[in-house]
Amino acid sequence: MQLLSPTATTYSELQNAYEHFNKVLFDNALPACLITLQREKRTCGYFSAQRWANVEGQFTDEIALNPAYFAVTPIVETMQTLVHEMVHLWQHHFGKPGRGRYHNDEWANKMESIGLMPSSTGQPGGKRTGDHMGDYAVEGGRFLMACQALLTAQFKLSWYDRFPAEEHVAHGQASYASQLSDPAAAISPAQANQALANVVKPTVKAARQSEDGTSLQAPNRSNRIKYTCPSCAQQVWGKPGLRLLCGGENCDSIPFV
């Protein structure tokens, strides 16, 4: 059997995820869109209405995802970004979007209805509406149930950006998804897969910032972050950007992530 190319594999997986969430969370109401990968500084993803046109003069919307986060954030959070932007797409076609980048009450209500809590910080206690918004998954909510069904069906992302920036790693380790009760949802692919951990090499700089979408807070470099051994799960805290090796009995020189 001929294997799909990395391009076909990656976009097929993202399209499958879009179709799954469209069916389970939006009753298949959303039209097709063009999913792209864009490295945008401090942005996990964005939605752009009618950004593309074909030779017949037809339009389609764009949902962009930032692959720099894929390896170092829990896969649940990557799916959150996709669904966050799907809510923007829903609002563009069936509601009344806020002006510019503003995430209004209608958007926030739709997010809550599908099990994602809007938050300006991506954590409990953040503002519910505003220009720069993240979200977190509600335990027992519709999104996590839909995500669990997707992951149970052997869904995966096969290809990962090897060079996330320090802020991407810090974001993944501070993600509220890392606190979920489901262990499989709480760790990043680089933590779950030793082969991937061996080839992912965080760098200091990230790509330049562009269009706003799912927004992040700039990392506070004075804060400590959590590092985890992917083999024995031993954890230590330190400044972002450290290169640590596990010294456990069965973990000779395994790098923390």
Side-chain angles (χ1 to χ4, degrees):
M1 182 178 67
Q2 184 177 6
L3 297 177
L4 293 176
S5 70
T7 299
T9 298
T10 297
Y11 284 96
S12 176
E13 289 167 349
L14 293 175
Q15 181 63 33
N16 287 341
Y18 180 92
E19 291 175 359
H20 171 77
F21 290 120
N22 189 15
K23 178 181 179 180
V24 176
L25 299 178
F26 298 90
D27 297 322
N28 274 332
L30 302 186
C33 71
L34 185 59
I35 300 173
T36 66
L37 298 179
Q38 308 282 352
R39 292 183 181 87
E40 303 291 345
K41 186 177 180 181
R42 302 191 185 100
T43 300
C44 290
Y46 65 78
F47 168 75
S48 187
Q50 296 189 325
R51 185 61 179 263
W52 294 78
N54 65 11
V55 294
E56 297 175 349
Q58 298 170 322
F59 301 102
T60 194
D61 309 309
E62 176 184 21
I63 287 179
L65 301 176
N66 188 342
Y69 293 95
F70 286 6
V72 291
T73 62
I75 192 170
V76 164
E77 178 141 338
T78 298
M79 296 298 101
Q80 279 178 228
T81 301
L82 174 62
V83 174
H84 176 125
E85 306 310 334
M86 291 173 72
V87 173
H88 282 299
L89 189 151
W90 168 86
Q91 188 176 39
H92 171 71
H93 288 277
F94 303 107
K96 295 181 179 180
R99 50 100 183 122
R101 300 175 179 178
Y102 188 73
H103 299 67
N104 61 17
D105 281 327
E106 181 184 61
W107 172 86
N109 290 338
K110 185 65 173 180
M111 288 283 285
E112 287 190 38
S113 76
I114 61 173
L116 290 177
M117 183 62 64
S119 170
S120 57
T121 64
Q123 303 281 338
K127 293 181 180 180
R128 186 173 176 272
T129 60
D131 287 323
H132 304 284
M133 294 298 299
D135 56 79
Y136 59 91
V138 178
E139 288 274 15
R142 294 179 61 204
F143 167 77
L144 282 182
M145 293 176 63
C147 202
Q148 183 180 37
L150 179 67
L151 299 178
T152 301
Q154 305 300 315
F155 172 84
K156 64 178 181 179
L157 295 178
S158 297
W159 292 92
Y160 296 88
D161 186 338
R162 291 183 56 212
F163 304 108
E166 287 181 356
E167 65 191 66
H168 303 140
V169 178
H171 170 72
Q173 293 173 334
S175 165
Y176 189 76
S178 66
Q179 303 177 41
L180 294 175
S181 57
D182 181 358
I187 61 174
S188 69
Q191 290 175 305
N193 186 293
Q194 184 58 54
L196 184 60
N198 289 341
V199 297
V200 172
K201 309 295 182 183
T203 61
V204 175
K205 295 183 179 180
R208 65 182 178 83
Q209 188 173 8
S210 183
E211 190 169 349
D212 177 67
T214 305
S215 301
L216 307 174
Q217 300 297 308
N220 183 342
R221 297 187 181 276
S222 66
N223 286 346
R224 298 188 304 162
I225 61 175
K226 182 170 62 178
Y227 295 85
T228 304
C229 173
S231 178
C232 70
Q234 177 175 291
Q235 297 177 336
V236 297
W237 291 83
K239 292 183 177 181
L242 293 179
R243 306 291 186 266
L244 303 175
L245 298 177
C246 186
E249 289 184 8
N250 301 315
C251 302
D252 186 28
S253 297
I254 291 178
F256 278 68
V257 293

